[in-house]
Amino acid sequence: MSINSYVDGCSYWLSHEPDSPGTLDHDVLARIHYGTDLTATQDPRQINVALPQMGGAPVAEVWRSRRSVEHGWADGLGYAHNGEVLFGHVRLDEPELVDLVRATTRAYLRIDLLLRQLGYPYWLRMWNFLGHINHGEGDAERYRQFSQGRHNALALKPGFESRLPAATAIGTQEGGMTVYFLAARDPGAQVENPRQVSAFRYPPTYGPKSPSFSRACLKQWTDARHLFVSGTASVVGHRTLHPGDLLAQLDETHHNLEALLGQAGALEPAAGPFRAAGLKIYVRPGHDHPELLPRVRRLFGDQVPLLCLAGDICRRDLLLEIEGLFT
Ligand code: 3EB
């Protein structure tokens, strides 16, 4: 089964396709393989993320382009672009993460340099996968160190808190860090959630430097739009609600997503309601529940393409996180 989400007026789109290894078509910008079986390839458009898929036949996240795609490697970063958007990724193995704060800052600065050199200076969306994300106590927790390193890099940009990309940060059972990202020639609009304190304003109880991401990024193309929605969880204000209760966290997350879509919709009232082109659901390993997927279907609709992954959420009391692309 292949579910495409075509958007007119922009030259690329997301589809979830059967996960079969092989050479990539010319029109592929990026293909993200989720699973612990690595697919070895030198193609810079192929991205591997070591998270097991849950339930059903495995699918890959594939971003395709209607314009011709150029791709390559630069400074160890893989990239592909089509004149409108750029996908890229970088992989750091565990030995490179001894000083995680510094390693993250350097990785983010390398990404920024690549984006400026290739002419796509506007960050839209970042996906961060970090091994053992909850290891370490207090501010030595790996997630908090990652956050600090990311902040150190992004805060170098003047006015950075009004140009933050949407983001996901999820833990893997394997070590190392994989970051993949989407950037554009022209900026998107940052969207925040009225039910949530902006992550970049979280109090220091969540770490010495607040997480540098926006709740969503709205990109207006010629006559179409993409709303990149960050990983969204059961956080209201800045607190976790319903610790230990997966289904209650799902309901709260749905509530948060509705509020966010309302906020984004107010930016372009004439464009009508947003529709989910694809959702990704992350569940902390060992916390799956037979009622989860039926309830997701009830809340978000039978037809929405889903990708369910077993991964650690960056706060220890969170069991679930949902991200998505809306049009
Ligand atoms: C939260 O709302 C949940 O640090 O990049 C969600 C999405 C979360 C992205 C990140 C963290 C990040 O704070 C955690």
Side-chain angles (χ1 to χ4, degrees):
M1 184 174 56
S2 160
I3 312 147
N4 286 345
S5 143
Y6 272 95
V7 186
D8 291 324
C10 77
S11 70
Y12 81 106
W13 70 94
L14 165 70
S15 65
H16 290 154
E17 301 174 8
D19 192 6
S20 53
T23 53
L24 299 183
D25 297 339
H26 290 296
D27 69 343
V28 170
L29 279 162
R31 177 186 185 278
I32 302 100
H33 165 84
Y34 290 97
T36 45
D37 54 320
L38 290 186
T39 67
T41 164
Q42 289 307 303
D43 192 316
R45 301 169 299 167
Q46 174 69 47
I47 302 166
N48 296 311
V49 176
L51 291 177
Q53 298 197 27
M54 297 157 53
V59 290
E61 178 184 334
V62 183
W63 297 84
R64 290 182 182 273
S65 171
R66 252 170 296 207
R67 299 201 205 181
S68 65
V69 175
E70 276 182 45
H71 55 81
W73 293 95
D75 182 30
L77 281 72
Y79 65 82
H81 57 97
N82 71 356
E84 186 173 59
V85 295
L86 177 144
F87 261 92
H89 60 102
V90 62
R91 165 76 193 170
L92 301 181
D93 290 324
E94 194 56 36
E96 298 171 82
L97 301 182
V98 175
D99 182 342
L100 183 52
V101 177
R102 202 173 135 87
T104 305
T105 302
R106 291 173 69 120
Y108 266 68
L109 292 177
R110 280 165 69 198
I111 293 169
D112 192 55
L113 182 63
L114 176 81
L115 295 179
R116 285 186 288 115
Q117 282 173 343
L118 292 173
Y120 300 83
Y122 297 104
W123 305 48
L124 300 179
R125 185 66 170 95
M126 306 296 296
W127 288 268
N128 306 280
F129 299 95
L130 175 62
H132 319 299
I133 198 166
N134 299 133
H135 283 205
E137 290 312 309
D139 290 343
E141 187 187 31
R142 278 167 64 105
Y143 172 62
R144 293 185 180 198
Q145 300 222 315
F146 160 81
S147 263
Q148 202 176 329
R150 173 174 58 181
H151 184 280
N152 290 347
L154 293 182
L156 295 173
K157 292 172 178 286
F160 78 107
E161 288 184 340
S162 59
R163 277 271 154 88
L164 286 170
T168 293
I170 291 289
T172 56
Q173 305 299 305
E174 280 182 12
M177 176 159 75
T178 297
V179 178
Y180 73 92
F181 48 90
L182 177 60
R185 291 237 192 261
D186 304 302
Q190 178 166 336
V191 184
E192 293 300 315
N193 191 323
R195 299 186 85 227
Q196 300 182 303
V197 172
S198 292
F200 54 89
R201 303 228 170 91
Y202 280 169
T205 38
Y206 300 100
K209 292 283 177 68
S210 52
S212 304
F213 69 96
S214 62
R215 298 300 182 183
C217 177
L218 178 60
K219 187 73 178 91
Q220 203 64 60
W221 307 106
T222 326
D223 58 1
R225 61 181 179 178
H226 279 152
L227 182 68
F228 300 98
V229 172
S230 291
T232 304
S234 179
V235 172
V236 176
H238 56 74
R239 295 201 168 78
T240 298
L241 295 194
H242 322 295
D245 186 340
L246 182 82
L247 296 179
Q249 289 195 11
L250 170 61
D251 291 345
E252 201 68 52
T253 298
H254 178 253
H255 203 151
N256 280 338
L257 287 168
E258 294 281 291
L260 182 67
L261 295 179
Q263 189 76 8
L267 295 176
E268 287 279 334
F274 285 98
R275 197 181 53 82
L279 297 176
K280 269 155 68 195
I281 304 175
Y282 303 93
V283 179
R284 189 177 288 280
H287 291 271
D288 194 12
H289 189 289
E291 272 306 303
L292 177 67
L293 277 186
R295 191 123 147 201
V296 165
R297 288 284 176 210
R298 257 201 319 281
L299 291 168
F300 294 96
D302 271 348
Q303 303 306 316
V304 181
L306 297 179
L307 183 46
C308 297
L309 300 163
D312 291 328
I313 318 299
C314 56
R315 273 192 204 180
R316 291 174 193 197
D317 48 12
L318 290 173
L319 302 178
L320 165 129
E321 192 174 298
I322 300 180
E323 65 168 63
L325 174 69
F326 291 76
T327 56

